Amino acid sequence: MPATHYTVSDVMTHTAIATGRDAPYKEIVALLDQWKVSALPVLEGEGRVVGVVSEADLLPKEEFRLDEARPDEFAEAAKAGALRAGELMSSPAVTVHADATLAEAARIMAKRRVKRLPVVNDLGMLEGVVSRSDLLKVFLRTDDEIEEEIRRSVLGESAAPAGLEVSVVEGVAILRGALADRSLVPLLARAARAVEGVVDVRMDLGAREDAG
């Protein structure tokens, strides 16, 4: 049986807080504060995501309250006069689909430097929100759960060498046993590391002595 690969759907918040294009500035600030989030999807129509308004989009109003903007700050300063979500939001929104892997979502967040991603279907309709903290939930799996999955999905494979054992301590998987074919070491390490919740993999694999 293959290793369990969590998707965004497994960890996301399915009931997402969102706002509309016409939401006023102070209402947006109040929603961010009330729900303790750093950004809100902006919706139109039946729930299609058209943008995201974040704390960073709101800050120019304070940042440029007294000081004039430099030429390289004109784009940000323009938001200082914005009053509604449609003027404040970043668009198009950076989104992800529910069936994306956690690794894919993490790469999008890192590349686009965002903390939260609206989760949308094929029509762009909002299905939920996934945050950085959501992606870390897999590391809450117990050592016993991780160990059992490695034993079942990695060492239980017909191609895996017999006689190997695994233990997991604080998320670190340790593979032990005799291994004659050293070319299997990186393959075993990669397979164990692919199990959700594994923090690191250590190999303690001695060569099997030839009989006779």
Side-chain angles (χ1 to χ4, degrees), residues 28-104:
I28 299 167
V29 175
L31 283 171
L32 294 177
D33 180 67
Q34 178 183 351
W35 295 101
K36 308 303 178 189
V37 295
S38 59
L40 295 171
V42 180
L43 310 181
E44 71 175 8
E46 297 298 317
R48 187 168 63 88
V49 179
V50 292
V52 172
V53 60
S54 68
E55 293 169 335
D57 296 316
L58 300 172
L59 280 176
K61 191 171 290 294
E62 183 63 28
E63 181 181 356
F64 299 105
R65 183 180 299 280
L66 299 175
D67 299 330
E68 292 187 5
R70 301 191 306 267
D72 62 338
E73 296 176 324
F74 284 163
E76 290 185 30
K79 289 192 176 183
L83 298 177
R84 298 190 180 275
E87 303 164 323
L88 291 157
M89 69 183 185
S90 299
S91 182
V94 181
T95 62
V96 69
H97 286 102
D99 60 358
T101 66
L102 302 192
E104 290 170 336

Side-chain angles (χ1 to χ4, degrees), residues 136 187 212:
L136 295 175
L187 299 178

Side-chain angles (χ1 to χ4, degrees), residues 125-158:
M125 309 295 280
L126 184 67
E127 293 188 329
V129 171
V130 65
S131 67
R132 290 176 178 175
S133 61
D134 291 329
L135 298 185
L136 295 175
K137 288 177 181 176
V138 292
F139 295 105
L140 297 177
R141 298 184 77 193
T142 68
D143 289 343
D144 287 344
E145 288 178 300
I146 298 169
E147 184 177 309
E148 173 58 28
E149 182 163 346
I150 294 175
R151 186 174 290 113
R152 170 177 51 79
S153 65
V154 178
L155 302 185
E157 291 290 325
S158 59

